[in-house]
């Protein structure tokens, strides 16, 4: 059972000091389950204050969507930014930089990075749990992606 503290909110607080080397363990390729289908996420190692990642979701009917992910150092802390794309690469958000969804850092530890609404949790060396707060139709729920390292 997922505890409420697994997904945190920044609220009016300021993101804590952090650097990409604290979450460099995320680099690599991961696959597993989430959203009722198969999930794949890959991260490149940090370069010039950024980490680039890609995610795609599929189910029995095929590929559902992609995300382009960017972990950036900003104001002495970290922000996760992303945009969604359909399988034909048409974007969900518009093409401006301002339209990227942003998840500011709430806290970081040796095995977890808590962004506002999204948590990356390392379990051992080869398991990654991603806890995401989703809101739809006026309801909020937590979706957990359970991924294994594949590289």
């Amino acid at each position: 059972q997922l505890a409420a503290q697994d997904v945190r909110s920044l609220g009016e607080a300021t993101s804590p000091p952090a650097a990409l080397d604290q979450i460099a363990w995320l680099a690599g390729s991961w696959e597993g389950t989430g959203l009722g289908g198969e999930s794949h996420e890959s991260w490149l190692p940090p370069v010039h204050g950024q980490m680039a990642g890609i995610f795609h979701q599929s189910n029995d009917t095929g590929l559902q969507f992609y995300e382009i992910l960017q972990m950036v150092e900003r104001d002495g802390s970290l922000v996760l930014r992303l945009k969604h794309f359909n399988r034909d690469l048409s974007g969900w958000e518009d093409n401006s930089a301002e339209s990227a969804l942003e998840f500011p850092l709430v806290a970081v530890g040796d095995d977890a990075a808590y962004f506002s609404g999204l948590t990356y949790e390392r379990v051992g060396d080869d398991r990654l749990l991603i806890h995401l707060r989703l809101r739809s139709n006026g309801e909020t729920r937590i979706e957990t992606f359970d991924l294994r390292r594949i590289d």
Side-chain angles (χ1 to χ4, degrees), residues 35-106:
L35 294 173
E38 292 183 28
S39 306
H40 297 260
E41 185 160 314
S42 293
W43 285 93
L44 295 170
V47 175
H48 299 295
Q50 297 189 4
M51 285 178 74
I54 187 162
F55 172 90
H56 65 77
Q57 182 70 32
S58 59
N59 64 22
D60 293 343
T61 63
L63 191 73
Q64 300 301 299
F65 66 92
Y66 292 96
E67 292 174 353
I68 300 296
L69 304 136
Q70 180 187 52
M71 199 84 70
V72 297
E73 293 181 348
R74 182 189 296 161
D75 299 326
S77 191
L78 300 174
V79 176
L80 173 65
R81 306 178 76 232
L82 67 87
K83 286 193 175 191
H84 296 90
F85 297 87
N86 294 309
R87 61 183 177 193
D88 67 358
L89 292 185
S90 58
W92 295 11
E93 296 85 15
D94 72 38
N95 200 30
S96 70
E98 293 77 28
S99 71
L101 301 180
E102 293 198 349
F103 301 84
L105 187 70
V106 176

